Amino acid sequence: METIEKKIVIIGGGPAGLAAAVAAYDAGERDIAVLERDGYGGGILNQCIHNGFGLHTFNAELTGPEYAARYLELMRARNIRIDYDTMVLSVSGDRTVTAAGPRGMVRYDAGAVILACGCRERPRGAINIAGTRPSGVFSAGTAQRMINVDGQRIGSRVFILGSGDIGLIMARRMTFEGASVAGVAELMPYSSGLSRNIAQCLDDFGIPLMLSTTVIEIRGRDRISSVVVANVDENKRPIKSTAREIECDTLLLSVGLLPENELAMGAGVSLSRVTGGAVVNDAFMTDVDGVFMCGNCLHVHDLVDYVSKESAACGRAAAEYVKAKAPCNTDKSDFVTIKTSGGVRYCVPQNITRSGGGSITLRMRVDNVYRKARLVVCADGAAIINRPRPIMTPGEMETLELDDKASTAVRKAEKVEVRLETEGVK
Amino acid sequence: MKGKKEIGKTIDCAVVGGGVIGCFAARELSRFRGDFCLFEAESDVASGTTKANSGIVHAGYDAKPHTQKSKYNVAGSLMMEKVCRELEVPYKRNGAMVIAFDADGREKLTALKARGIENGVQTEIISSDAARAKEPRLSDRVIAALYAKSSAIVSPYELAIACAENFIDNGGRVYTNTCVVGIARHERGYALTVRKDGKETTVVCRAVINAAGLYADEIHNAVAKPIAIRPRRGQYVLLDKSAMPVTHTVFQTPTALGKGVLVSPTCHGNTVIGPSAEDVSDKTALETTADVLDEVFRKAALSVPSINKRDIITQFSGLRAVCGDDFIIGESADGFFDAAGVCSPGLASSPAIGEYLATAVAKKLGLDENRAFDSHRAAIPCFATATDEERDRLIQSDPRYGHIVCRCETVTEAEIIEAVRRGARDLDGVKRRVRAGMGRCQAGFCTPAMVKILSRELGIPEELVTKRGGGSYMGI
């Protein structure tokens, strides 16, 4: 078995992995390998053929493949190594990465590992929809791939459960493909997708968004023939008297994304119950020394631009680490853990190193729709950041960029809290 | 599946039904010299009750003494480990416990233990501490348990598939998508009318083995005194491999309808929870229902309170073929052999039932021993469970072992191609042979690639690839 030594091994050649690689290179590290299980880079971007990517990063409105191509060009210009068709099977706590590829098994001994493995879709089974098990039930991303990459025609009368962004985008996509979309049901009283996607993907095509509604049964023996939907009460329990049957030959599920962290678990990385990703410090290091994490396997993002930005910071930190400068996340006395409250579900990074330097960016999501609210960061009881937000929704990630002064205050504090303050208006 | 040629004018024995009983009977028949065919109405063997049950090789303490159930269960359970070794099928003797929550339950344990002794199966009653020492996540409310060391788990569909492959390797023929629609007495035995692709053919056979599961009554009633098979639905949920709440099979004390809700590991490291026991009228009523699944989960949580709905990756249901209180095993008409009403403990009994049926047919027809019979069937080399050195060798032998199609279960393209070569014709057929799509993402990632591989290997357009045959097309 071949063994390769590398300063930085990045697992995943999607938007997170590519941005981390480019940034690590630009921070001075040349000995990098990106491991990608597909035969091409860009990850999930390749099936996202709609536009709307890159407004922040490239100041241009790009499609997913175009956004990926820009990063692959940055990789080529730097001559950074990408090992394609290489599927990582395990990562050990001492940063040995074992992968399978067409030429055999390969072992990488890495100075630092960046986990940039992305996320997967929550399947039907995980949400317990009763009924038969016919064909024609797809997770929205699977359908997106089959249509956009493989050129298949998967259905003509479609119902969609879940108003996450992929569900919304697929409602429009299926319409373009000539299918009729009977509706999009959403369990919650609000959509978990971006507002612009509701407007551009549903409203523009007259596709109904059915809030506080879910699919309670799948019918059909060979291929799905209909779904039964029902309204739900405030406890999200279906109200049986509202059950109605909607004919369809395809059901798409857009019911949540789960960070893909089996490799991280194998390496002994502690995961957050809230994000499903690792608990990291402001250098994006997990609690396993030299193992970093960024992108959708750290927490599910709304925009790829934010993935790129976060991952670039991770790549720079990994480059620093292999030069033996980055603070270690394993020393509990060297960091302060950020507490979240008042509607802030989580904050990444969770830990801020006392000995670290530089300005800190906090990324978070809220647990409900809030209007006229403020995001407040408190260090030892004093509000050091107090930013108004006209509207916040669970579907959109919130970012707080702390200046040097605020960052220093956070690093020095005994207790740090991020909370949401409202004027009682939801 | 392979091994096909024109169905001959008169064959020696037809096996009706490709569940685990039919496949075992067929495999055992091929120990004898003769012309044998297995007919399966669905697109694959193991498509009915065999694919949707608990996968338990019951030790045999539970069956009522002096019944067909106790006879075949005890015998089958003793045979299972060896036969799984011969057929390279996942099998694990993990032990089982029946737990009691109160004095009434403890009495039931004593009765079960006595029944076991009568059936020749050793069990012991252990204290709650001893039970929790074996199974730390058991409920605090458990006061005692009956421990059955010889209880085991097996992969039921892989067992049936392996038997079918072994049958083919030893000269048998398996016809899928082939439904026996009529059976009548014939001067040389029986004339079966079989329908495939809408076309009917007559097959004359000297003997018949009826292992048609839920439909065994329809086959039986054409030539013998009528029986009625009643479907009894069992709904299950399956937990992700990361959950692993138990290592033993944990039962509650049995009720009139069955052995109650169990929590058990599967051979592949998932956890199966179920079944319900609902008498239904429709033999195709395979839907799951939210209320019953909630109830199943609630009952299971009485045994193991830490189980979490977040770990559920899928749910499914199976229909047990129930005919009165016992199996109907034997020669119901001249040269017509039944394995009807084989509900639980049918899987555990299958090696013994298969052996009995084949031996009875051979005796009836005066068949000679097949000296060329090879009891060994080689499994498809499994990349996921191989060591890194073995994996390297596999990839060197075929680079398609280096292409992992199903990430959750680490299944390679080479394994999928081999599954197709051995008879898989659709996504479910591949899934049951090599586990692609069986994991936590439930085929989210591998479906597009699987559709392409099946299309290429079967030489059919992608839109004609199905989930499980019939009209279950993946495209429109």
Side-chain angles (χ1 to χ4, degrees), chain A residues 37 103 105 120 128 131 133 135 142 150 152 221 223 260 262, chain B residues 284 288 315 392 396 407 440 444 452 462 468 471-473 476:
Chain A
R37 66 184 179 85
R103 286 167 305 282
M105 297 293 291
R120 65 166 175 269
N128 295 321
R133 298 204 295 161
S135 68
T142 304
D150 300 333
Q152 288 166 14
R221 202 138 312 275
R223 177 91 187 186
E260 188 137 83
E262 281 65 36
Chain B
T284 65
T288 55
Q315 58 275 97
D392 200 48
Q396 303 306 333
R407 316 180 193 180
R440 53 178 67 96
K452 281 187 179 176
E462 288 179 2
R468 53 156 176 278
S472 64
Y473 298 109
I476 283 277

PDB file of all heavy atoms in Angstrom, chain A residues 37 103 105 120 128 131 133 135 142 150 152 221 223 260 262, chain B residues 284 288 315 392 396 407 440 444 452 462 468 471-473 476:
ATOM      1  N   ARG A  37     -13.694  12.199  -3.930  1.00  0.00           N
ATOM      2  CA  ARG A  37     -14.143  10.847  -4.317  1.00  0.00           C
ATOM      3  C   ARG A  37     -14.692  10.800  -5.731  1.00  0.00           C
ATOM      4  O   ARG A  37     -14.703   9.759  -6.363  1.00  0.00           O
ATOM      5  CB  ARG A  37     -15.157  10.317  -3.310  1.00  0.00           C
ATOM      6  CG  ARG A  37     -16.386  11.052  -3.291  1.00  0.00           C
ATOM      7  CD  ARG A  37     -17.366  10.597  -2.235  1.00  0.00           C
ATOM      8  NE  ARG A  37     -18.477  11.483  -2.388  1.00  0.00           N
ATOM      9  CZ  ARG A  37     -19.454  11.275  -3.263  1.00  0.00           C
ATOM     10  NH1 ARG A  37     -19.494  10.176  -3.968  1.00  0.00           N
ATOM     11  NH2 ARG A  37     -20.397  12.158  -3.408  1.00  0.00           N
ATOM     12  N   ARG A 103      -6.259   2.814  -8.249  1.00  0.00           N
ATOM     13  CA  ARG A 103      -4.957   2.137  -8.310  1.00  0.00           C
ATOM     14  C   ARG A 103      -4.640   1.371  -7.030  1.00  0.00           C
ATOM     15  O   ARG A 103      -3.599   0.760  -6.920  1.00  0.00           O
ATOM     16  CB  ARG A 103      -3.847   3.152  -8.614  1.00  0.00           C
ATOM     17  CG  ARG A 103      -3.858   3.622 -10.059  1.00  0.00           C
ATOM     18  CD  ARG A 103      -2.984   4.832 -10.268  1.00  0.00           C
ATOM     19  NE  ARG A 103      -3.336   5.917  -9.366  1.00  0.00           N
ATOM     20  CZ  ARG A 103      -4.388   6.728  -9.535  1.00  0.00           C
ATOM     21  NH1 ARG A 103      -5.186   6.583 -10.575  1.00  0.00           N
ATOM     22  NH2 ARG A 103      -4.656   7.688  -8.667  1.00  0.00           N
ATOM     23  N   MET A 105      -5.240   0.958  -2.476  1.00  0.00           N
ATOM     24  CA  MET A 105      -5.415   1.697  -1.229  1.00  0.00           C
ATOM     25  C   MET A 105      -4.235   2.653  -1.054  1.00  0.00           C
ATOM     26  O   MET A 105      -3.107   2.317  -1.413  1.00  0.00           O
ATOM     27  CB  MET A 105      -5.473   0.720  -0.047  1.00  0.00           C
ATOM     28  CG  MET A 105      -6.660  -0.232  -0.090  1.00  0.00           C
ATOM     29  SD  MET A 105      -8.246   0.603   0.111  1.00  0.00           S
ATOM     30  CE  MET A 105      -8.118   1.106   1.828  1.00  0.00           C
ATOM     31  N   ARG A 120     -25.382  15.436   3.926  1.00  0.00           N
ATOM     32  CA  ARG A 120     -26.274  14.575   3.153  1.00  0.00           C
ATOM     33  C   ARG A 120     -27.705  14.937   3.510  1.00  0.00           C
ATOM     34  O   ARG A 120     -27.963  15.651   4.476  1.00  0.00           O
ATOM     35  CB  ARG A 120     -25.992  13.102   3.435  1.00  0.00           C
ATOM     36  CG  ARG A 120     -26.281  12.692   4.855  1.00  0.00           C
ATOM     37  CD  ARG A 120     -26.333  11.180   5.024  1.00  0.00           C
ATOM     38  NE  ARG A 120     -26.499  10.871   6.432  1.00  0.00           N
ATOM     39  CZ  ARG A 120     -25.500  10.661   7.282  1.00  0.00           C
ATOM     40  NH1 ARG A 120     -24.259  10.740   6.857  1.00  0.00           N
ATOM     41  NH2 ARG A 120     -25.741  10.400   8.545  1.00  0.00           N
ATOM     42  N   ASN A 128     -40.151   9.243   9.137  1.00  0.00           N
ATOM     43  CA  ASN A 128     -41.257   8.337   9.468  1.00  0.00           C
ATOM     44  C   ASN A 128     -42.563   8.649   8.750  1.00  0.00           C
ATOM     45  O   ASN A 128     -43.606   8.798   9.389  1.00  0.00           O
ATOM     46  CB  ASN A 128     -41.511   8.344  10.982  1.00  0.00           C
ATOM     47  CG  ASN A 128     -40.333   7.777  11.720  1.00  0.00           C
ATOM     48  OD1 ASN A 128     -39.735   6.808  11.263  1.00  0.00           O
ATOM     49  ND2 ASN A 128     -39.980   8.382  12.836  1.00  0.00           N
ATOM     50  N   GLY A 131     -46.976   4.424   5.065  1.00  0.00           N
ATOM     51  CA  GLY A 131     -47.491   4.082   3.746  1.00  0.00           C
ATOM     52  C   GLY A 131     -46.682   3.008   3.059  1.00  0.00           C
ATOM     53  O   GLY A 131     -45.946   2.266   3.700  1.00  0.00           O
ATOM     54  N   ARG A 133     -43.966   1.549  -0.042  1.00  0.00           N
ATOM     55  CA  ARG A 133     -42.589   1.922  -0.391  1.00  0.00           C
ATOM     56  C   ARG A 133     -42.385   1.831  -1.905  1.00  0.00           C
ATOM     57  O   ARG A 133     -41.612   1.004  -2.394  1.00  0.00           O
ATOM     58  CB  ARG A 133     -41.600   1.027   0.357  1.00  0.00           C
ATOM     59  CG  ARG A 133     -41.735   1.215   1.877  1.00  0.00           C
ATOM     60  CD  ARG A 133     -40.484   0.852   2.605  1.00  0.00           C
ATOM     61  NE  ARG A 133     -40.169  -0.561   2.484  1.00  0.00           N
ATOM     62  CZ  ARG A 133     -38.964  -1.058   2.714  1.00  0.00           C
ATOM     63  NH1 ARG A 133     -37.977  -0.260   3.057  1.00  0.00           N
ATOM     64  NH2 ARG A 133     -38.760  -2.348   2.615  1.00  0.00           N
ATOM     65  N   SER A 135     -41.496   3.200  -5.940  1.00  0.00           N
ATOM     66  CA  SER A 135     -40.478   4.059  -6.549  1.00  0.00           C
ATOM     67  C   SER A 135     -41.094   5.441  -6.763  1.00  0.00           C
ATOM     68  O   SER A 135     -42.306   5.617  -6.631  1.00  0.00           O
ATOM     69  CB  SER A 135     -39.994   3.461  -7.865  1.00  0.00           C
ATOM     70  OG  SER A 135     -41.018   3.501  -8.837  1.00  0.00           O
ATOM     71  N   THR A 142     -31.044  14.232  -4.672  1.00  0.00           N
ATOM     72  CA  THR A 142     -30.883  13.079  -5.563  1.00  0.00           C
ATOM     73  C   THR A 142     -31.571  13.360  -6.886  1.00  0.00           C
ATOM     74  O   THR A 142     -31.011  13.120  -7.966  1.00  0.00           O
ATOM     75  CB  THR A 142     -31.478  11.818  -4.911  1.00  0.00           C
ATOM     76  OG1 THR A 142     -30.876  11.619  -3.637  1.00  0.00           O
ATOM     77  CG2 THR A 142     -31.240  10.593  -5.777  1.00  0.00           C
ATOM     78  N   ASP A 150     -27.315  13.825 -14.817  1.00  0.00           N
ATOM     79  CA  ASP A 150     -27.474  12.586 -15.577  1.00  0.00           C
ATOM     80  C   ASP A 150     -28.501  12.703 -16.702  1.00  0.00           C
ATOM     81  O   ASP A 150     -28.666  11.771 -17.480  1.00  0.00           O
ATOM     82  CB  ASP A 150     -27.867  11.446 -14.631  1.00  0.00           C
ATOM     83  CG  ASP A 150     -26.811  11.218 -13.555  1.00  0.00           C
ATOM     84  OD1 ASP A 150     -25.639  11.530 -13.826  1.00  0.00           O
ATOM     85  OD2 ASP A 150     -27.154  10.745 -12.459  1.00  0.00           O
ATOM     86  N   GLN A 152     -31.773  12.686 -16.654  1.00  0.00           N
ATOM     87  CA  GLN A 152     -32.912  11.767 -16.601  1.00  0.00           C
ATOM     88  C   GLN A 152     -34.209  12.535 -16.388  1.00  0.00           C
ATOM     89  O   GLN A 152     -34.218  13.654 -15.885  1.00  0.00           O
ATOM     90  CB  GLN A 152     -32.703  10.752 -15.474  1.00  0.00           C
ATOM     91  CG  GLN A 152     -31.612   9.757 -15.828  1.00  0.00           C
ATOM     92  CD  GLN A 152     -31.135   8.962 -14.641  1.00  0.00           C
ATOM     93  OE1 GLN A 152     -31.772   8.950 -13.605  1.00  0.00           O
ATOM     94  NE2 GLN A 152     -30.017   8.307 -14.810  1.00  0.00           N
ATOM     95  N   ARG A 221     -48.390   1.168  -5.345  1.00  0.00           N
ATOM     96  CA  ARG A 221     -47.728  -0.101  -5.111  1.00  0.00           C
ATOM     97  C   ARG A 221     -46.378  -0.172  -5.820  1.00  0.00           C
ATOM     98  O   ARG A 221     -45.354  -0.382  -5.186  1.00  0.00           O
ATOM     99  CB  ARG A 221     -48.636  -1.257  -5.537  1.00  0.00           C
ATOM    100  CG  ARG A 221     -48.244  -2.516  -4.853  1.00  0.00           C
ATOM    101  CD  ARG A 221     -49.351  -3.398  -4.329  1.00  0.00           C
ATOM    102  NE  ARG A 221     -50.410  -2.803  -3.558  1.00  0.00           N
ATOM    103  CZ  ARG A 221     -50.360  -2.568  -2.231  1.00  0.00           C
ATOM    104  NH1 ARG A 221     -49.269  -2.811  -1.545  1.00  0.00           N
ATOM    105  NH2 ARG A 221     -51.402  -2.065  -1.608  1.00  0.00           N
ATOM    106  N   ARG A 223     -45.148   2.361  -8.491  1.00  0.00           N
ATOM    107  CA  ARG A 223     -44.711   3.760  -8.492  1.00  0.00           C
ATOM    108  C   ARG A 223     -45.680   4.531  -7.604  1.00  0.00           C
ATOM    109  O   ARG A 223     -46.866   4.194  -7.533  1.00  0.00           O
ATOM    110  CB  ARG A 223     -44.758   4.290  -9.931  1.00  0.00           C
ATOM    111  CG  ARG A 223     -44.392   5.752 -10.095  1.00  0.00           C
ATOM    112  CD  ARG A 223     -42.918   5.957 -10.365  1.00  0.00           C
ATOM    113  NE  ARG A 223     -42.610   7.397 -10.346  1.00  0.00           N
ATOM    114  CZ  ARG A 223     -41.430   7.912 -10.651  1.00  0.00           C
ATOM    115  NH1 ARG A 223     -40.428   7.121 -11.000  1.00  0.00           N
ATOM    116  NH2 ARG A 223     -41.216   9.200 -10.605  1.00  0.00           N
ATOM    117  N   GLU A 260     -22.063  15.360   7.270  1.00  0.00           N
ATOM    118  CA  GLU A 260     -21.577  13.993   7.069  1.00  0.00           C
ATOM    119  C   GLU A 260     -20.289  13.812   7.866  1.00  0.00           C
ATOM    120  O   GLU A 260     -19.229  14.227   7.423  1.00  0.00           O
ATOM    121  CB  GLU A 260     -21.353  13.752   5.584  1.00  0.00           C
ATOM    122  CG  GLU A 260     -21.041  12.315   5.296  1.00  0.00           C
ATOM    123  CD  GLU A 260     -21.772  11.800   4.074  1.00  0.00           C
ATOM    124  OE1 GLU A 260     -21.294  12.013   2.964  1.00  0.00           O
ATOM    125  OE2 GLU A 260     -22.829  11.170   4.255  1.00  0.00           O
ATOM    126  N   GLU A 262     -19.085  10.814   9.624  1.00  0.00           N
ATOM    127  CA  GLU A 262     -18.662   9.481  10.050  1.00  0.00           C
ATOM    128  C   GLU A 262     -17.136   9.413  10.174  1.00  0.00           C
ATOM    129  O   GLU A 262     -16.607   8.772  11.073  1.00  0.00           O
ATOM    130  CB  GLU A 262     -19.164   8.425   9.057  1.00  0.00           C
ATOM    131  CG  GLU A 262     -20.629   8.059   9.252  1.00  0.00           C
ATOM    132  CD  GLU A 262     -21.586   9.215   8.967  1.00  0.00           C
ATOM    133  OE1 GLU A 262     -21.308  10.004   8.049  1.00  0.00           O
ATOM    134  OE2 GLU A 262     -22.582   9.342   9.689  1.00  0.00           O
TER     135      GLU A 262
ATOM    136  N   THR B 284     -51.604  -7.954   0.065  1.00  0.00           N
ATOM    137  CA  THR B 284     -50.616  -6.987  -0.429  1.00  0.00           C
ATOM    138  C   THR B 284     -50.535  -5.772   0.501  1.00  0.00           C
ATOM    139  O   THR B 284     -49.951  -4.755   0.138  1.00  0.00           O
ATOM    140  CB  THR B 284     -50.971  -6.505  -1.850  1.00  0.00           C
ATOM    141  OG1 THR B 284     -52.209  -5.787  -1.794  1.00  0.00           O
ATOM    142  CG2 THR B 284     -51.106  -7.668  -2.815  1.00  0.00           C
ATOM    143  N   THR B 288     -46.940   0.747   5.952  1.00  0.00           N
ATOM    144  CA  THR B 288     -46.742   0.969   7.382  1.00  0.00           C
ATOM    145  C   THR B 288     -47.726   2.047   7.816  1.00  0.00           C
ATOM    146  O   THR B 288     -48.185   2.843   6.997  1.00  0.00           O
ATOM    147  CB  THR B 288     -45.313   1.446   7.671  1.00  0.00           C
ATOM    148  OG1 THR B 288     -45.042   2.609   6.871  1.00  0.00           O
ATOM    149  CG2 THR B 288     -44.301   0.377   7.349  1.00  0.00           C
ATOM    150  N   GLN B 315     -38.397   2.316   7.850  1.00  0.00           N
ATOM    151  CA  GLN B 315     -39.376   1.427   8.443  1.00  0.00           C
ATOM    152  C   GLN B 315     -39.942   0.540   7.335  1.00  0.00           C
ATOM    153  O   GLN B 315     -39.906   0.901   6.164  1.00  0.00           O
ATOM    154  CB  GLN B 315     -40.488   2.173   9.189  1.00  0.00           C
ATOM    155  CG  GLN B 315     -41.285   3.171   8.374  1.00  0.00           C
ATOM    156  CD  GLN B 315     -40.640   4.515   8.313  1.00  0.00           C
ATOM    157  OE1 GLN B 315     -39.958   4.809   7.362  1.00  0.00           O
ATOM    158  NE2 GLN B 315     -40.844   5.360   9.297  1.00  0.00           N
ATOM    159  N   ASP B 392      -6.677  -3.596  -0.870  1.00  0.00           N
ATOM    160  CA  ASP B 392      -5.678  -3.266  -1.883  1.00  0.00           C
ATOM    161  C   ASP B 392      -5.610  -4.373  -2.932  1.00  0.00           C
ATOM    162  O   ASP B 392      -5.587  -4.102  -4.134  1.00  0.00           O
ATOM    163  CB  ASP B 392      -4.316  -3.060  -1.203  1.00  0.00           C
ATOM    164  CG  ASP B 392      -3.367  -2.268  -2.083  1.00  0.00           C
ATOM    165  OD1 ASP B 392      -3.791  -1.231  -2.615  1.00  0.00           O
ATOM    166  OD2 ASP B 392      -2.218  -2.708  -2.249  1.00  0.00           O
ATOM    167  N   GLN B 396      -6.410  -4.177  -6.906  1.00  0.00           N
ATOM    168  CA  GLN B 396      -5.420  -4.605  -7.914  1.00  0.00           C
ATOM    169  C   GLN B 396      -6.041  -5.624  -8.861  1.00  0.00           C
ATOM    170  O   GLN B 396      -5.745  -5.633 -10.055  1.00  0.00           O
ATOM    171  CB  GLN B 396      -4.174  -5.214  -7.244  1.00  0.00           C
ATOM    172  CG  GLN B 396      -3.451  -4.316  -6.233  1.00  0.00           C
ATOM    173  CD  GLN B 396      -3.060  -2.950  -6.781  1.00  0.00           C
ATOM    174  OE1 GLN B 396      -2.865  -2.787  -7.974  1.00  0.00           O
ATOM    175  NE2 GLN B 396      -2.968  -1.962  -5.910  1.00  0.00           N
ATOM    176  N   ARG B 407     -21.690   5.096  -0.229  1.00  0.00           N
ATOM    177  CA  ARG B 407     -20.746   5.552   0.804  1.00  0.00           C
ATOM    178  C   ARG B 407     -21.096   5.021   2.182  1.00  0.00           C
ATOM    179  O   ARG B 407     -20.217   4.724   2.974  1.00  0.00           O
ATOM    180  CB  ARG B 407     -20.791   7.058   0.972  1.00  0.00           C
ATOM    181  CG  ARG B 407     -20.831   7.854  -0.229  1.00  0.00           C
ATOM    182  CD  ARG B 407     -20.877   9.292   0.266  1.00  0.00           C
ATOM    183  NE  ARG B 407     -21.227  10.159  -0.827  1.00  0.00           N
ATOM    184  CZ  ARG B 407     -21.338  11.476  -0.703  1.00  0.00           C
ATOM    185  NH1 ARG B 407     -21.138  12.043   0.457  1.00  0.00           N
ATOM    186  NH2 ARG B 407     -21.647  12.200  -1.723  1.00  0.00           N
ATOM    187  N   ARG B 440     -27.472   4.669   6.080  1.00  0.00           N
ATOM    188  CA  ARG B 440     -28.174   5.761   6.740  1.00  0.00           C
ATOM    189  C   ARG B 440     -28.724   6.802   5.781  1.00  0.00           C
ATOM    190  O   ARG B 440     -29.679   7.484   6.120  1.00  0.00           O
ATOM    191  CB  ARG B 440     -27.278   6.417   7.789  1.00  0.00           C
ATOM    192  CG  ARG B 440     -25.930   6.864   7.311  1.00  0.00           C
ATOM    193  CD  ARG B 440     -25.183   7.531   8.456  1.00  0.00           C
ATOM    194  NE  ARG B 440     -24.867   6.578   9.501  1.00  0.00           N
ATOM    195  CZ  ARG B 440     -23.707   5.941   9.610  1.00  0.00           C
ATOM    196  NH1 ARG B 440     -22.763   6.166   8.723  1.00  0.00           N
ATOM    197  NH2 ARG B 440     -23.487   5.104  10.586  1.00  0.00           N
ATOM    198  N   GLY B 444     -29.806   7.805  -0.985  1.00  0.00           N
ATOM    199  CA  GLY B 444     -29.815   9.173  -1.497  1.00  0.00           C
ATOM    200  C   GLY B 444     -28.653   9.438  -2.433  1.00  0.00           C
ATOM    201  O   GLY B 444     -28.821   9.945  -3.534  1.00  0.00           O
ATOM    202  N   LYS B 452     -27.405   4.098 -13.314  1.00  0.00           N
ATOM    203  CA  LYS B 452     -26.494   4.027 -14.468  1.00  0.00           C
ATOM    204  C   LYS B 452     -25.860   2.647 -14.611  1.00  0.00           C
ATOM    205  O   LYS B 452     -25.770   2.099 -15.709  1.00  0.00           O
ATOM    206  CB  LYS B 452     -25.372   5.052 -14.299  1.00  0.00           C
ATOM    207  CG  LYS B 452     -25.777   6.457 -14.649  1.00  0.00           C
ATOM    208  CD  LYS B 452     -24.525   7.314 -14.605  1.00  0.00           C
ATOM    209  CE  LYS B 452     -24.851   8.738 -14.979  1.00  0.00           C
ATOM    210  NZ  LYS B 452     -23.691   9.599 -14.850  1.00  0.00           N
ATOM    211  N   GLU B 462     -31.965   3.822 -19.055  1.00  0.00           N
ATOM    212  CA  GLU B 462     -32.006   4.189 -17.633  1.00  0.00           C
ATOM    213  C   GLU B 462     -33.436   4.309 -17.114  1.00  0.00           C
ATOM    214  O   GLU B 462     -33.724   3.938 -15.978  1.00  0.00           O
ATOM    215  CB  GLU B 462     -31.238   5.499 -17.414  1.00  0.00           C
ATOM    216  CG  GLU B 462     -29.735   5.307 -17.543  1.00  0.00           C
ATOM    217  CD  GLU B 462     -28.927   6.583 -17.360  1.00  0.00           C
ATOM    218  OE1 GLU B 462     -29.521   7.642 -17.097  1.00  0.00           O
ATOM    219  OE2 GLU B 462     -27.688   6.514 -17.496  1.00  0.00           O
ATOM    220  N   ARG B 468     -37.953  -2.390  -7.829  1.00  0.00           N
ATOM    221  CA  ARG B 468     -38.094  -3.817  -7.542  1.00  0.00           C
ATOM    222  C   ARG B 468     -38.975  -4.524  -8.563  1.00  0.00           C
ATOM    223  O   ARG B 468     -39.915  -5.244  -8.214  1.00  0.00           O
ATOM    224  CB  ARG B 468     -38.676  -4.020  -6.136  1.00  0.00           C
ATOM    225  CG  ARG B 468     -39.946  -3.281  -5.881  1.00  0.00           C
ATOM    226  CD  ARG B 468     -40.781  -3.884  -4.790  1.00  0.00           C
ATOM    227  NE  ARG B 468     -41.918  -3.016  -4.596  1.00  0.00           N
ATOM    228  CZ  ARG B 468     -41.887  -1.911  -3.856  1.00  0.00           C
ATOM    229  NH1 ARG B 468     -40.803  -1.606  -3.190  1.00  0.00           N
ATOM    230  NH2 ARG B 468     -42.935  -1.147  -3.773  1.00  0.00           N
ATOM    231  N   GLY B 471     -43.829  -2.351 -12.288  1.00  0.00           N
ATOM    232  CA  GLY B 471     -43.913  -0.981 -12.791  1.00  0.00           C
ATOM    233  C   GLY B 471     -43.202   0.025 -11.912  1.00  0.00           C
ATOM    234  O   GLY B 471     -43.495   1.213 -11.954  1.00  0.00           O
ATOM    235  N   SER B 472     -42.256  -0.460 -11.104  1.00  0.00           N
ATOM    236  CA  SER B 472     -41.610   0.450 -10.143  1.00  0.00           C
ATOM    237  C   SER B 472     -40.431   1.193 -10.793  1.00  0.00           C
ATOM    238  O   SER B 472     -39.313   1.170 -10.313  1.00  0.00           O
ATOM    239  CB  SER B 472     -41.151  -0.330  -8.908  1.00  0.00           C
ATOM    240  OG  SER B 472     -40.155  -1.271  -9.249  1.00  0.00           O
ATOM    241  N   TYR B 473     -40.736   1.845 -11.929  1.00  0.00           N
ATOM    242  CA  TYR B 473     -39.685   2.533 -12.686  1.00  0.00           C
ATOM    243  C   TYR B 473     -39.123   3.717 -11.912  1.00  0.00           C
ATOM    244  O   TYR B 473     -39.836   4.412 -11.207  1.00  0.00           O
ATOM    245  CB  TYR B 473     -40.238   3.016 -14.034  1.00  0.00           C
ATOM    246  CG  TYR B 473     -40.706   1.879 -14.896  1.00  0.00           C
ATOM    247  CD1 TYR B 473     -42.059   1.674 -15.141  1.00  0.00           C
ATOM    248  CD2 TYR B 473     -39.788   0.988 -15.450  1.00  0.00           C
ATOM    249  CE1 TYR B 473     -42.495   0.614 -15.919  1.00  0.00           C
ATOM    250  CE2 TYR B 473     -40.207  -0.081 -16.219  1.00  0.00           C
ATOM    251  CZ  TYR B 473     -41.563  -0.269 -16.456  1.00  0.00           C
ATOM    252  OH  TYR B 473     -41.983  -1.323 -17.209  1.00  0.00           O
ATOM    253  N   ILE B 476     -39.688   8.358 -15.534  1.00  0.00           N
ATOM    254  CA  ILE B 476     -41.069   8.402 -16.057  1.00  0.00           C
ATOM    255  C   ILE B 476     -40.952   8.607 -17.559  1.00  0.00           C
ATOM    256  O   ILE B 476     -40.207   9.460 -18.011  1.00  0.00           O
ATOM    257  CB  ILE B 476     -41.848   9.602 -15.422  1.00  0.00           C
ATOM    258  CG1 ILE B 476     -42.253   9.247 -14.000  1.00  0.00           C
ATOM    259  CG2 ILE B 476     -43.025   9.965 -16.285  1.00  0.00           C
ATOM    260  CD1 ILE B 476     -43.512   8.448 -13.857  1.00  0.00           C
TER     261      ILE B 476
END
